[in-house]
Amino acid sequence: MSQVLINKYNVAGPRYTSYPTVPYWELNSFSLSQWKTTLKRAFVESNTSEGLSLYIHLPFCESLCTFCGCHKRITKQHNVESPYLKAVLKEWSLYCELLDEKPKIKELHLGGGTPTFFSPENLKFLIKELLKTSKLAEDYEFSFEGHPNNTTEAHLQTLFNLGFRRVSFGVQDYNLKVQKAIHRVQPFKNVKQVTELARKIGYTSIGHDIIFGLPFQTEVDVIETIKKTRTLKPDRLAFYSYAHVPWIKGNGQRGFSDSDLPSAASKRQQYETGKKLLEAVGYIEIGMDHFALESDSLFKAMEYKTLHRNFMGYTASKTQAMIGLGVSAISDSWYGFAQNVKSIEDYYHLLEENIIPVVKGHILNSEDLVIRKHILNLMCNFSTSWENAELSFKELPEVLVKLKEFEKDNLLQFETKKVTITEKGKPFIRNICMAFDLRLQRKRPETALFSMTI
């Protein structure tokens, strides 16, 4: 990749798991009652046809990983499990009371934190109780994130028996120096053991998460990590950029300094080298920073143009409504977003008062909805079109001026009322999406909000 392009486009920018992005939500005009109204609308429009997605945030970890920007609670006390799961079920019951018919679950994902912090018995209790008050779509998919150091055969078997067929394991990097810097020491043998166990039990989609751009990480480290990964042949991979956002309260990114991080050029070379190694053994690049074998549902979704992106990342299918349960979880009705409180104590208190524990959100206006579609098209299909009048908006000429600069650099090409990102332009997809982001254009941040795009 050209150093000139890196210097030009390596700016702070969103990853676009939503539009508008969270820092641009209009909090003052948002209310819980508005959120309920948009969710009920989405539910009526989509529950019968497609169902909804359910994300459950399980925040507990026994130790702090210093690369992580997620919301978590560090503890070794496992007596926190039962009260938390009962609170999650209480929150789900409040949503079920709000909706007029039994929710149909198409996707269910356990994220964290560390979902496998919880015992197999407690996870079984959670899922069984959830299913008592819902029904399943014919093509439902259950998935969870597993920590290679504490995911046991009992975890894998118990969740498999409950319908889980997809699991992802956080690998990050196999170099011990890097692992110590990010406080995530896990030998290859642990990853190998859980990957092979999952395959033996019958999981049909096993994923590994690998990060580039970590402190002290070199291109050689990435090569060694990818080589080890190839021997296990996971069905899909998230191979993504470390997001350095130390200004965000409580994210734990400490124990190393900015000078310990690879340069922008070195970081990008880590990705390009890793990509070549993955493609050499049959992995296909999916959207941004994801790879899958042709047999995996993520690849098939890309082929069939059903790939979707939300707060869970890339998913193989789209549901209009996504409900997030647990502290800090974000919900999406398509017409609005809502985020739960981040304090476990506040979460418990609101549920005791029979209040859905939402603390902030955003209701999308007509312009937001149009731009959201364009950004989703770009993030999932590398192209978008405004041939349909529904996808045009007043300030499109302003967007086109910005896109012309990308065209000059051969990062995209124009057709009649259509733009397509070139192969050369794919690493700059976040920058190209930023051209459509009118909220960002109108009010540039005065403080650090986002990680760097390259």
Side-chain angles (χ1 to χ4, degrees), residues 261-273:
L261 299 171
S263 68
S266 298
K267 186 178 181 182
R268 194 63 212 177
Q269 187 56 47
Q270 289 177 5
Y271 182 78
E272 296 299 333
T273 299

Side-chain angles (χ1 to χ4, degrees), residues 13 31 36 62 144 163 165 191 199 201 247 335 356 377 386 390 401 421 438:
S31 69
K36 290 179 179 179
E62 288 197 348
F144 75 97
R165 294 295 179 269
V191 181
R199 190 164 282 132
I201 286 169
W247 55 84
Y335 306 111
I356 293 175
N377 287 341
W386 48 95
E390 292 180 6
V401 169
I421 299 174
L438 293 182

Side-chain angles (χ1 to χ4, degrees), residues 52-70:
L52 57 80
S53 297
L54 195 57
Y55 170 78
I56 304 174
H57 189 73
L58 302 174
F60 301 110
C61 301
E62 288 197 348
S63 63
L64 180 68
C65 300
T66 57
F67 68 89
C68 179
C70 300

Side-chain angles (χ1 to χ4, degrees), residues 172-346:
Q172 324 328 335
D173 188 277
Y174 286 118
N175 180 284
L176 186 59
K177 183 178 181 180
V178 175
Q179 289 184 350
K180 286 181 176 178
I182 62 175
H183 207 235
R184 179 67 176 253
V185 176
Q186 55 189 26
F188 173 69
K189 67 177 184 179
N190 290 9
V191 181
K192 182 175 187 290
Q193 181 181 34
V194 291
T195 299
E196 291 176 349
L197 265 175
R199 190 164 282 132
K200 178 183 174 184
I201 286 169
Y203 283 81
T204 54
S205 181
I206 300 167
H208 285 186
D209 294 346
I210 299 171
I211 302 179
F212 63 94
L214 290 166
F216 306 111
Q217 192 179 37
T218 67
E219 187 179 356
V220 171
D221 297 329
V222 171
I223 291 170
E224 288 304 306
T225 294
I226 297 287
K227 283 182 176 179
K228 284 184 168 72
T229 300
R230 294 195 319 185
T231 66
L232 300 179
K233 211 67 179 287
D235 301 278
R236 64 172 70 171
L237 283 158
F239 181 37
Y240 60 96
S241 166
Y242 165 62
H244 191 53
V245 286
W247 55 84
I248 295 179
K249 183 180 178 182
N251 72 2
Q253 291 183 347
R254 55 182 183 266
F256 52 87
S257 64
D258 289 7
S259 62
D260 297 323
L261 299 171
S263 68
S266 298
K267 186 178 181 182
R268 194 63 212 177
Q269 187 56 47
Q270 289 177 5
Y271 182 78
E272 296 299 333
T273 299
K275 176 182 173 181
K276 287 178 184 176
L277 289 170
L278 291 171
E279 290 178 338
V281 293
Y283 288 95
I284 313 294
E285 190 173 27
I286 309 290
M288 181 181 75
D289 300 344
H290 283 66
F291 293 82
L293 297 174
E294 290 188 13
S295 56
D296 190 77
S297 61
L298 205 60
F299 172 80
K300 293 172 182 174
M302 183 185 73
E303 289 282 280
Y304 300 145
K305 302 291 185 185
T306 58
L307 193 66
H308 184 56
R309 184 170 174 83
N310 56 27
F311 287 101
M312 295 189 288
Y314 284 105
T315 63
S317 61
K318 173 187 177 296
T319 63
Q320 186 172 331
M322 183 187 82
I323 295 177
L325 303 177
V327 290
S328 80
I330 298 178
S331 300
D332 177 0
S333 67
W334 183 258
Y335 306 111
F337 301 114
Q339 183 170 25
N340 283 351
V341 293
K342 295 182 179 180
S343 160
I344 291 176
E345 291 72 24
D346 291 344

